[in-house]
Amino acid sequence: MILNGIEDEEKWLAEGVAGVQQNAFYMLRAVDSDNLREALKYSAQMLSELRTSNLSPHKYFELYMRAFDELRKLELFFKDESRHGVSVSDLYELVQHAGNVLPRLYLLCTVGSVYIKTKEASCKDILKDLVEMCRAVQHPIRGLFLRSYLCQVTRDKLPDIGSQSEGLGDSVMDAVEFVLQNFTEMNKLWVRLQHQGPVRVREKREKERNELRDLVGKNLHILSQIEGVDLDMYRDTVLPRILEQVVNCKDELSQHYLMDCIIQVFPDEYHLQTLDILLAACPQLQPTVDIKTVLSQLMERLSNYAASSTEVLPEFLQVEAFAKLNNAIGKVIEAQIDMPIAGAITLYTSLLMFSLRVHPDRLDYVDLVLGACVGKLSGKPKLEDSRATKQIIALLSAPLDKYNDAVTALTLSNYPRIMDYLDNDTNKVMAMVIIQNILKNYTCISTADQVEALFELIKGLIKDIGDGAVDEVDEEDFKEEQNSVARLIHMLYNDDPDEMLKIICTVQRHIMTGGHRRLPFTVPPLVFSALKLARRLQGQDGEADGEEAPASPKKIFRLMNQAVDALSCVPSPDLALRLYLLCAEAASDCDLEPIAYEFFTQAFILYEEEIADSKAQFTAIHLIIGTLQKMNVFGVENRDTLTHKATGYSAKLLKKADQCRAVYACSHLFWVDDQDGTKDGERVLLCLKRSLRIANAAQQMANVTRGSSGPVTLFVEILNKYLYFFEKGSPQVTSSAIQGLVELIRTEMQSETSTPDLATSAFFNSTLRYIQFQKQKGGVMGEKYDPVKI
């Protein structure tokens, strides 16, 4: 049926176009012959095709444009009195004898436009006559197109400043009155279209009305182009009359479109000066009107105007504009009881954007808008509507984007109150927006109070809120969130040690509630910040505890001991061990031997009790050895205890190769260049010999289990350690020992049971070349290497 309807409409349109073309042909032939009577006859027949009721607005427009083009040619004929021999006043009377009302009125409008041009009669009277006569057509579609034609043919002939009608008794007010009257009648026809026909065609009617709306809006566009319509006339006459029609029509579609049209076509300066009139109409509109969109557009235009205006706008105007907009939004929300929460938040977001652009220095306005939004949200559960939460994010992001300084947002009392209404997922999204803004702009959060406020805002990332299950979070998203929090912690800084310590205490108090999954991300940056502060305070004493106590290294290390201990209980022993060693190294730099020893003790306990994986043990023992080697704070007894523990753990590793490498690494604990008294060649040699025995045992084990002794990489590595201590001057490491080790490696590599390995061969050959280089270099080192035969 729909297909048949479309086909029928196309057929009717084709018939109508054919009728227009045929009659236009005869009309133009009559015009060429200067035959007025025949021209009027065929023009009336041509215009009779517009009497159809079978076409949709879209198709009717096509037919109308065909007739319109022909009427322009007829108008030129009417202007030339010498051709048809009839005065315009008589012609004006003559066309009124056309048989049908619609052709009659089209012809009357055409002649009327020529009549105005001749100045033979009052423009005011002709316009009034035309607009009144057009009331004879009450069919919505036919009437709208007729009045649209009236607008089109008279728009360049309206009385205006500098126009031909000026000074002939016609005024700008006459033009305004004509356009307003035509607008009123067109809007009535437009609204009436919705209520014609049975209910089942109402949806179709709404579509048709959307196709016709620009015909109505054309009147407002013409009004905006009349130069004589100054601010006073707009405020006193034009705007009130338009709004009266908008409110009284009580039609949702009409009200929304016309309010939008008013905002778009008239100057922003006028809107700023007449806000109270325009806004007063908003609460009177139908509840279903999307007033939030209209007001949002209005505020956007006003803010753009204020920001781009070359003139300095009076401060009182800007202040009044904010107060009026805020008051109007409140009334609209109050009047439209069923307005969705997303709509209300959209209005407040637009008001906030207006305030930020027009009053960037008035933070009290920003907080006032946020407070109004809190008032709307009060008593309601956490938002789950995606549109509402999206608007909340836009609302909260606006101050951040404007000021590029999250510290400013921290001063707004209502900012965190709004975030409390967000569901857990959206709360995290907003927290990420805040953190990214801080990181992007390198914002330094420099006081404990600011940190407290900030961490309250981003608590959705710091800890689990309510019954939100962190296990449901995507692993990649979770890592990104926590890495952002870690980067944020590095941005917290103050030159004052006492304030910086308060910041560290505040951060620690918050992150300790984060749960086992978050601590591995948040504790390390806290430790790094704390250790940086401890090194700044190097040499200062202090025993007092508490956040208010003066900052001192001892207090900082006590705090870090608690933080790392929480991390070790997560469990995340590998990371905790690294942090214990970093704390021990920092304590050594601060010359705090007991604290450094305690951190090492904790590291060894972790190693013994928590680290079971062989690879993790190997990595951990090397970290312990490397850290211990660099420390110079320990006395003989404490150092011996720690080195004994380290060498003991090295020899107990599961794999022989790991044992060998850990044991020869321990040799560095007994020979440190920049540390007086720690040059024990005997124990160095003991470690090297022990590693050699382990390497030999590894070769024998490989021979038993695999039938081949395997590569001799371990021997080459040990040879390089011998060379290192030989050059450092250890008397126990002799050239003969090196010579013996070189020959041992050659023997092992030439053994039938040895597994060929290109990497090991290259490593060994490189070592031999190094020895040869040292021999050839001469000097003291050359003499030392001279006994070694390669």
Side-chain angles (χ1 to χ4, degrees):
M1 293 177 64
I2 294 176
L3 183 60
N4 290 337
I6 295 174
E7 291 176 350
D8 289 343
E9 192 175 27
E10 291 290 345
K11 183 184 70 173
W12 292 326
L13 175 62
E15 291 175 354
V17 169
V20 169
Q21 290 175 335
Q22 181 180 8
N23 287 291
F25 171 78
Y26 291 114
M27 179 192 77
L28 293 176
R29 190 167 69 174
V31 167
D32 292 339
S33 303
D34 297 336
N35 188 334
L36 177 61
R37 184 172 299 278
E38 289 296 307
L40 291 177
K41 170 185 172 183
Y42 287 112
S43 63
Q45 292 178 7
M46 174 188 73
L47 292 168
S48 293
E49 298 295 339
L50 296 177
R51 296 172 62 204
T52 179
S53 300
N54 296 327
L55 299 178
S56 66
H58 178 70
K59 298 298 182 183
Y60 191 90
F61 176 74
E62 292 185 34
L63 184 63
Y64 165 81
M65 287 307 298
R66 296 294 184 106
F68 177 82
D69 292 339
E70 303 302 334
L71 284 174
R72 304 304 290 174
K73 301 170 186 175
L74 184 63
E75 182 183 356
L76 295 175
F77 176 60
F78 288 160
K79 287 180 180 178
D80 194 349
E81 185 177 337
S82 64
R83 294 181 61 187
H84 53 73
V86 178
S87 68
V88 178
S89 59
D90 290 341
L91 187 59
Y92 190 72
E93 294 294 332
L94 182 61
V95 295
Q96 296 186 43
H97 293 93
N100 291 308
V101 66
L102 189 65
R104 181 196 313 155
L105 291 174
Y106 271 104
L107 290 172
L108 189 65
C109 291
T110 306
V111 176
S113 69
V114 176
Y115 200 5
I116 295 172
K117 199 80 171 176
T118 63
K119 308 176 193 174
E120 295 179 8
S122 167
C123 177
K124 171 185 175 182
D125 293 340
I126 297 173
L127 291 175
K128 183 177 181 181
D129 190 37
L130 292 175
V131 77
E132 291 287 350
M133 295 279 273
C134 285
R135 285 185 177 178
V137 179
Q138 291 296 309
H139 184 278
I141 295 178
R142 295 197 292 267
L144 282 169
F145 276 95
L146 171 63
R147 288 187 175 275
S148 176
Y149 179 73
L150 175 61
C151 282
Q152 189 66 33
V153 296
T154 58
R155 64 184 303 173
D156 59 340
K157 304 171 183 69
L158 296 175
D160 196 3
I161 296 175
S163 70
Q164 296 180 358
S165 301
E166 188 180 23
L168 298 176
D170 299 317
S171 65
V172 174
M173 183 58 72
D174 297 329
V176 170
E177 186 64 34
F178 164 74
V179 178
L180 286 175
Q181 189 173 350
N182 196 54
F183 159 73
T184 301
E185 295 299 327
M186 288 185 75
N187 190 52
K188 290 178 180 178
L189 291 170
W190 188 42
V191 172
R192 187 182 305 152
L193 181 62
Q194 177 67 24
H195 304 287
Q196 286 193 342
V199 176
R200 65 178 181 274
V201 298
R202 292 289 170 83
E203 185 176 341
K204 176 186 175 183
R205 290 300 187 195
E206 186 168 337
K207 180 182 177 182
E208 291 179 347
R209 289 188 63 202
N210 278 316
E211 294 174 352
L212 292 168
R213 65 182 188 177
D214 289 340
L215 299 181
V216 183
K218 183 189 295 185
N219 292 276
L220 302 187
H221 183 68
I222 292 173
L223 274 175
S224 69
Q225 292 185 322
I226 298 177
E227 293 184 11
V229 178
D230 56 13
L231 176 60
D232 291 336
M233 184 179 293
Y234 176 77
R235 179 180 54 234
D236 299 337
T237 303
V238 174
L239 183 59
R241 289 276 298 277
I242 295 173
L243 291 176
E244 179 184 8
Q245 176 59 31
V246 171
V247 172
N248 290 340
C249 75
K250 299 186 182 303
D251 179 77
E252 173 193 351
L253 183 61
S254 174
Q255 289 181 340
H256 182 272
Y257 171 71
L258 292 177
M259 289 295 288
D260 180 67
C261 204
I262 293 170
I263 293 168
Q264 298 298 331
V265 302
F266 290 106
D268 297 325
E269 179 189 358
Y270 287 12
H271 295 324
L272 190 61
Q273 298 276 6
T274 58
L275 262 182
D276 48 348
I277 302 174
L278 184 60
L279 295 175
C282 294
Q284 302 177 55
L285 302 180
Q286 296 298 102
T288 52
V289 173
D290 186 13
I291 193 62
K292 68 178 185 300
T293 303
V294 174
L295 287 177
S296 297
Q297 290 177 345
L298 173 62
M299 287 183 277
E300 183 179 359
R301 287 183 64 93
L302 290 178
S303 60
N304 289 337
Y305 170 68
S308 61
S309 178
T310 56
E311 301 178 3
V312 178
L313 299 177
E315 178 64 23
F316 78 91
L317 267 183
Q318 300 182 38
V319 173
E320 282 185 0
F322 175 82
K324 291 174 181 176
L325 287 167
N326 186 35
N327 183 52
I329 289 173
K331 289 183 177 179
V332 167
I333 293 175
E334 183 179 347
Q336 297 192 5
I337 302 174
D338 297 330
M339 177 184 286
I341 192 69
I345 297 171
T346 300
L347 286 174
Y348 286 124
T349 302
S350 300
L351 180 60
L352 182 64
M353 297 298 293
F354 172 83
S355 175
L356 289 172
R357 295 199 67 176
V358 180
H359 308 283
D361 56 332
R362 295 295 299 266
L363 285 177
D364 56 325
Y365 283 0
V366 177
D367 210 30
L368 181 65
V369 176
L370 296 178
C373 192
V374 170
K376 181 62 179 176
L377 294 170
S378 62
K380 294 180 172 59
K382 289 186 180 295
L383 294 175
E384 295 183 355
D385 178 21
S386 59
R387 292 176 300 171
T389 54
K390 184 178 180 181
Q391 287 300 320
I392 286 284
I393 290 177
L395 180 78
L396 295 176
S397 299
L400 298 175
D401 296 336
K402 175 62 179 179
Y403 299 112
N404 289 325
D405 183 7
V407 175
T408 303
L410 300 180
T411 64
L412 302 170
S413 61
N414 288 304
Y415 202 93
R417 295 175 64 192
I418 292 183
M419 288 194 66
D420 288 339
Y421 288 97
L422 298 175
D423 62 90
N424 294 343
D425 290 339
T426 311
N427 194 295
K428 291 179 183 179
V429 171
M430 192 60 229
M432 283 293 288
V433 170
I434 295 171
I435 292 176
Q436 294 301 328
N437 182 273
I438 292 173
L439 298 178
K440 176 184 176 182
N441 296 292
Y442 299 98
T443 306
C444 181
I445 313 298
S446 57
T447 69
D449 290 339
Q450 290 176 352
V451 173
E452 181 69 38
L454 174 62
F455 274 60
E456 184 63 27
L457 288 180
I458 64 169
K459 60 187 176 184
L461 300 179
I462 303 297
K463 61 183 179 181
D464 296 336
I465 301 177
D467 57 357
V470 73
D471 292 331
E472 297 177 0
V473 179
D474 179 78
E475 188 65 26
E476 290 300 318
D477 291 343
F478 179 78
K479 288 181 179 179
E480 181 183 357
E481 292 169 358
Q482 297 309 306
N483 283 328
S484 296
V485 174
R487 292 176 62 196
L488 172 67
I489 293 174
H490 287 295
M491 302 294 290
L492 313 178
Y493 180 78
N494 194 303
D495 285 326
D496 178 39
D498 291 332
E499 189 63 31
M500 186 63 200
L501 181 60
K502 291 180 182 179
I503 290 175
I504 290 171
C505 291
T506 303
V507 174
Q508 182 173 357
R509 187 175 67 253
H510 280 278
I511 68 173
M512 286 300 107
T513 63
H516 69 279
R517 290 187 65 190
R518 293 184 177 91
L519 289 180
F521 294 92
T522 54
V523 169
L526 174 67
V527 171
F528 289 134
S529 294
L531 296 185
K532 190 184 298 183
L533 176 60
R535 287 188 167 93
R536 283 168 54 194
L537 299 173
Q538 188 172 336
Q540 297 185 22
D541 293 327
E543 298 292 339
D545 284 326
E547 290 189 21
E548 300 301 324
S552 68
K554 289 184 178 179
K555 181 178 180 181
I556 293 169
F557 287 125
R558 278 195 289 270
L559 291 173
M560 292 307 98
N561 192 25
Q562 297 170 7
V564 180
D565 182 61
L567 187 61
S568 66
C569 299
V570 167
S572 186
D574 299 349
L575 181 57
L577 184 137
R578 290 172 182 267
L579 294 178
Y580 274 134
L581 294 177
L582 285 171
C583 291
E585 187 177 351
S588 174
D589 294 341
C590 295
D591 201 26
L592 297 174
E593 181 182 2
I595 295 177
Y597 188 85
E598 176 61 25
F599 280 124
F600 253 103
T601 302
Q602 294 296 331
F604 278 126
I605 291 173
L606 267 181
Y607 180 86
E608 290 177 353
E609 297 180 355
E610 301 293 341
I611 300 179
D613 180 73
S614 60
K615 288 184 178 180
Q617 287 181 337
F618 178 70
T619 302
I621 201 63
H622 272 273
L623 287 171
I624 291 171
I625 293 168
T627 304
L628 185 56
Q629 182 211 2
K630 293 185 291 184
M631 299 180 66
N632 54 16
V633 71
F634 295 123
V636 175
E637 182 178 350
N638 284 341
R639 187 173 183 85
D640 283 348
T641 301
L642 295 175
T643 53
H644 177 74
K645 276 283 187 182
T647 53
Y649 288 135
S650 299
K652 293 179 181 178
L653 291 172
L654 179 63
K655 298 177 181 178
K656 289 294 183 182
D658 291 347
Q659 286 183 23
C660 176
R661 292 186 172 101
V663 169
Y664 71 58
C666 287
S667 61
H668 290 279
L669 297 175
F670 306 107
W671 193 282
V672 183
D673 285 338
D674 57 356
Q675 188 171 336
D676 296 335
T678 311
K679 292 184 179 179
D680 190 343
E682 292 288 347
R683 299 180 74 176
V684 167
L685 184 61
L686 183 64
C687 288
L688 295 178
K689 286 183 175 181
R690 189 172 185 182
S691 64
L692 201 55
R693 288 197 301 271
I694 297 171
N696 189 55
Q699 286 288 85
Q700 292 177 3
M701 187 178 297
N703 191 35
V704 171
T705 56
R706 297 196 296 267
S708 61
S709 57
V712 293
T713 305
L714 292 174
F715 291 111
V716 183
E717 293 174 6
I718 294 169
L719 172 60
N720 277 268
K721 290 297 177 184
Y722 267 87
L723 295 179
Y724 173 82
F725 288 110
F726 179 66
E727 292 183 5
K728 292 298 182 182
S730 174
Q732 284 75 20
V733 180
T734 62
S735 58
S736 59
I738 293 173
Q739 183 70 58
L741 190 51
V742 170
E743 293 173 358
L744 172 63
I745 294 170
R746 280 178 171 158
T747 302
E748 288 292 336
M749 293 181 72
Q750 294 168 2
S751 172
E752 294 181 357
T753 61
S754 175
T755 302
D757 184 74
L758 295 177
T760 301
S761 298
F763 186 17
F764 179 57
N765 291 332
S766 178
T767 303
L768 294 180
R769 285 196 301 272
Y770 175 78
I771 295 173
Q772 183 65 33
F773 170 76
Q774 294 290 48
K775 287 166 65 69
Q776 294 174 354
K777 189 165 65 172
V780 176
M781 193 59 67
E783 291 178 2
K784 288 188 69 172
Y785 272 99
D786 190 59
V788 181
K789 307 299 181 184
I790 60 172

